[in-house]
Amino acid sequence: MSEQMRIGTSLLLQNQNCVQSYGWELLRPLGDADTAVSALSEYACDDISFIRIARGDDCLAEFTKDLDVIRQLKCSTPVAFGGGLRSITHLDLLRGLPIERLVFSSAFITKDVQLLKHAQENFGRQSIQCLLPVSAQADEFEVFCCNKNRYIKLINLDFDFISEFANEIILYDTRHDGCASGFDARILNAVPISPNRLVLTGGIGKAEVKWAKKLRAAGVLIDNKTLHQESSIAGYRYAARM
């Protein structure tokens, strides 16, 4: 965990290309990963999180193709990778890749102890992040379980288990996914984990960046809109200093 809040971005991968997501449902093509990374490197992004869209059944052949995209990146920015990390076979394919953090979601929701222990032993606990795609439904919160392709109640999660195996937790506000702002602050009240272990994404605007810094959050991830000059990382970094 860093004492200084990181300002990074998330890039969603589908069929070896980046896509823009809106509300966790609508996906629009964004372009190839290498072009996106080149632009983000110029904006002095602290880190880049590549998340594969792997809802429901996933194909190992497609996973391998997506890894080829990561392998070929020319990037000096720290990279996190996740989406479909569901077996030891998947983890073993990551060896030697330019990846600093591994992002798990379903493994934490279903409590896959064997997989997470293997990840800890081979990549180090400090590299492991837990992604929780959370949606507010009235006064209740749900979390999307990717391998089951459905939402379940957030209160049913074992947060002691998550704290044991994850170094950081990414809270992804799926209702504000793709929005310029609006991250639902109530999500933090529903997650009994210290803010200095939280990375916030989904509806992160400049006001949310300032708020997250006051909370001493570990970081924020701005979504793909950082590829546009008017929404560059530099602007968010300036907002964090105000």
Side-chain angles (χ1 to χ4, degrees):
M1 294 175 287
S2 172
E3 293 182 1
Q4 183 175 357
M5 187 179 77
R6 305 190 309 274
I7 300 178
T9 195
S10 60
L11 291 172
L12 301 181
L13 272 181
Q14 184 181 54
N15 300 324
Q16 295 79 63
N17 282 290
C18 296
V19 295
Q20 172 74 60
S21 172
Y22 298 91
W24 200 245
E25 295 180 358
L26 177 63
L27 301 174
R28 290 180 177 169
L30 190 64
D32 68 271
D34 202 42
T35 300
V37 164
S38 296
L40 290 169
S41 295
E42 292 177 8
Y43 294 159
C45 189
D46 287 333
D47 46 32
I48 301 172
S49 294
F50 278 96
I51 308 295
R52 297 177 63 247
I53 296 177
R55 301 173 190 174
D57 294 334
D58 191 27
C59 172
L60 187 60
E62 286 300 313
F63 181 86
T64 304
K65 290 178 184 178
D66 286 339
L67 288 189
D68 287 339
V69 171
I70 302 298
R71 185 176 290 109
Q72 295 168 21
L73 290 176
K74 298 176 181 65
C75 178
S76 58
T77 304
V79 170
F81 179 81
L85 298 179
R86 298 176 184 170
S87 73
I88 290 174
T89 298
H90 287 96
L91 294 184
D92 289 344
L93 289 171
L94 301 180
R95 295 183 187 279
L97 291 180
I99 297 171
E100 294 201 7
R101 296 185 180 92
L102 308 183
V103 183
F104 296 86
S105 185
S106 299
F108 280 100
I109 295 171
T110 62
K111 298 175 67 172
D112 191 334
V113 175
Q114 182 183 14
L115 181 63
L116 293 171
K117 279 188 174 180
H118 185 84
Q120 278 191 342
E121 291 166 1
N122 288 273
F123 298 93
R125 184 181 182 278
Q126 75 285 348
S127 71
I128 298 175
Q129 293 179 313
C130 168
L131 172 66
L132 297 180
V134 180
S135 175
Q137 303 295 329
D139 292 329
E140 229 178 24
F141 293 92
E142 297 179 338
V143 61
F144 191 84
C145 187
C146 294
N147 66 347
K148 296 180 180 179
N149 201 26
R150 63 182 177 86
Y151 282 96
I152 63 173
K153 291 184 178 181
L154 182 66
I155 59 172
N156 291 337
L157 295 191
D158 186 340
F159 285 102
D160 288 336
F161 177 84
I162 292 172
S163 292
E164 179 182 355
F165 286 98
N167 184 50
E168 292 180 338
I169 296 85
I170 303 173
L171 293 183
Y172 196 144
D173 183 349
T174 61
R175 292 190 68 186
H176 292 95
D177 179 28
C179 295
S181 61
F183 182 91
D184 193 334
R186 297 177 302 161
I187 295 173
L188 274 71
N189 297 328
V191 175
I193 292 175
S194 173
N196 66 357
R197 296 181 62 189
L198 299 180
V199 176
L200 312 181
T201 189
I204 299 294
K206 293 176 183 177
E208 284 80 9
V209 169
K210 291 173 64 176
W211 165 73
K213 185 170 183 182
K214 288 181 180 178
L215 285 176
R216 299 181 182 237
V220 293
L221 294 175
I222 318 299
D223 68 18
N224 314 146
K225 62 181 177 287
T226 49
L227 293 175
H228 304 295
Q229 185 69 35
E230 66 272 16
S231 301
S232 71
I233 290 293
Y236 288 93
R237 199 179 302 284
Y238 177 76
R241 293 197 297 265
M242 292 177 63

